[in-house]
Amino acid sequence: MVSTEWWRNATVYQVYPLSFMDSDGDGMGDLRGIVQRLDHLAGGPSSLGVDAIWLSPIYRSPMVDFGYDVADHCDVDPRFGTLADAEHLVEQAHRRRLRVLLDYVPNHTSDQHPWFEQARSSRDDPYRDFYVWRDPAPDGGPPTNWLSAFARVGPAWTLDPTTGQYYLHSYTAEQPDLDWRNPAVREAMHQVLRFWLDRGVDGFRIDAPHRLGKDALLRDNPADVAHLRIATQLDDREHRSMGDPFVHDVLRGIRAVVDEYPGTVLVGEVGVHHPVRRLAYHGSGDELPLVFDFGFWSNPWSADAFRAGGEQMGDVLAVGGWPTHALSNHDIPRHATRYALRQPDPSHADEPHLGASNPDPSQPDPRTRVAAVMLTTLPGATFLYYGEEIGMTDVPVPAELATDPNGRDPLRTPMQWDLSQPDAGFTTGHPWRPVPAAGLDVATQASDPGSLLSLYRDLLRLRRTHPCLVGGDYAALDAGPEVYAYRRSAQGATLVVLLGFADAPRHVTLDGLATGRVLIASHGPTPGTPVDLAALDLEANQALVVELDRP
Ligand code: NOJ
Ligand code: MG
């Protein structure tokens, strides 16, 4: 695989702005705070060494869905700072050769967006058709059987009493869906892209693109799928509230705008499990270059599952797309919690994402080290979620503070910079979400060469510099049960990556491969240690990156 554009081999670090760093003591993270911590990410000898940051939404917002309810696409929310702060952040990031991706939320706005405030003022308002309005059903109820993606919300329709019609919302009632079949919406939302591209951003993560295609006639969902709320549950069945082929027309339009700015990229949060259906979002190379792989992060902790997912990378390449890998983000329990080797806390048995009990909270779960090796050595773009570099787990949030409409508070807690300081150095004020008093932090791990943070740093250095990882071919190897092994080859060199998923030692025999030297180990042998791949004892939860002596 030849990597030309920067994003093909990029490591993108997702910053959740409310929780990354607070600069002004109001307890909420902000853009100046992000600038203060940029050196953690890139630009210096001790930086993590990522290539880009993706900021979850920074726009003006009532924060009902924590910024995914945008009230002004062309301004920064005062909690985060000002437009000038955003420009400063882009400039400071670029100085460190760090690209900046913003979150683009095309499916809906906030109900406090001026477009919607106008639209709901009268049936004749020029902005009325920016949104999707329908008369009530004959019984006065919602016009179709469509449901919101969020179980707590119920129907995807809310009656607007002033004008006597229902409006559509795929998420909360405070997030009315835009109607992209209206050319004026398309034009206005294209201008939003240009607004930020003109300010130097390097691309966008596109929120929920599969929601942009809705049945043109807004017909009821078939009875057998009407109860399913999200595309990941649908497999290959049809749902009329999303996935309509019209979406491809919209995405081609967005891509054409972004292509006016060379060196930019799009990554789509296409919430579809079905691998073949997801391929369609690459278009014929004219829609989304990158699409998140929902299958990858949904895998159980199993070598077979990840290996089978790896088989699909060829299909992505065949349609002109490029593979992506991520294990955590702001919507799913952190993988350090999901895959924890240790038993979940029984007091949270009904809600496993509320945190696993950890007998030694100062050490990340051993599986996070194997996951780090996998994420950084597979071909394609890799996405890290803030805090995963230190093995952060979900943090229980007391019920009175848990305000997310979909229960995601525990996985969005403040970054743990330095636990020797109040609130881990995240804020000098009162943090908007709790910070644990003990556990994992950047300060401790930064000075420990054996830490998870140091492992990520070493892996990312290798990923940026070793030809086999920059652009090498990929081939899976048969290494026996509970081991996912693959080869990356380029320019006459070959790396073999061995990922041990077993909680016990495994004897590995890689037929036809001879000897090599360890470049990086999750734990155990130091770099340079010779290994015999024809007969190797892999320790429990161990991962090795080995360079073959004779490729
Ligand atoms: C997907 C985002 O990742 C999620 O956080 C949000 O709630 C929905 N889309 C709605 O924008
Ligand atoms: Mg602040």
Side-chain angles (χ1 to χ4, degrees), residues 181 209-215 240-247:
R181 292 184 196 265
H210 54 292
R211 293 275 174 181
L212 294 169
K214 308 180 213 301
D215 182 48
R240 290 189 178 134
S241 55
M242 56 192 137
D244 186 275
F246 174 70
V247 63

Side-chain angles (χ1 to χ4, degrees), residues 349-499:
D350 297 339
E351 293 170 290
H353 61 281
L354 290 185
S357 68
N358 189 341
D360 180 5
S362 69
Q363 289 303 321
D365 189 273
R367 289 175 174 174
T368 59
R369 301 178 73 90
V370 180
V373 177
M374 177 166 67
L375 281 167
T376 53
T377 59
L378 282 169
T382 273
F383 292 77
L384 310 181
Y385 185 46
Y386 81 96
E388 84 168 66
E389 72 274 32
I390 55 168
M392 259 174 76
T393 55
D394 296 354
V395 176
V397 174
E400 66 277 12
L401 284 179
T403 53
D404 178 63
N406 209 28
R408 296 161 293 188
D409 308 80
L411 42 122
R412 301 173 173 181
T413 58
M415 179 71 176
Q416 294 161 205
W417 295 107
D418 181 354
L419 287 162
S420 72
Q421 292 182 33
D423 295 308
F426 163 71
T427 180
T428 54
H430 182 70
W432 80 289
R433 288 288 181 275
V435 183
L440 307 167
D441 69 1
V442 172
T444 310
Q445 293 195 27
S447 54
D448 172 6
S451 68
L452 180 63
L453 178 59
S454 297
L455 176 64
Y456 266 100
R457 193 183 291 148
D458 294 347
L459 285 163
L460 290 179
R461 189 175 304 120
L462 192 68
R463 179 176 163 82
R464 287 193 310 275
T465 53
H466 200 291
C468 292
L469 297 183
V470 172
D473 292 339
Y474 163 94
L477 301 170
D478 189 4
E482 295 188 89
V483 179
Y484 176 24
Y486 44 90
R487 163 164 54 196
R488 303 285 320 269
S489 317
Q491 298 176 16
T494 295
L495 299 189
V496 171
V497 179
L498 293 153
L499 306 171

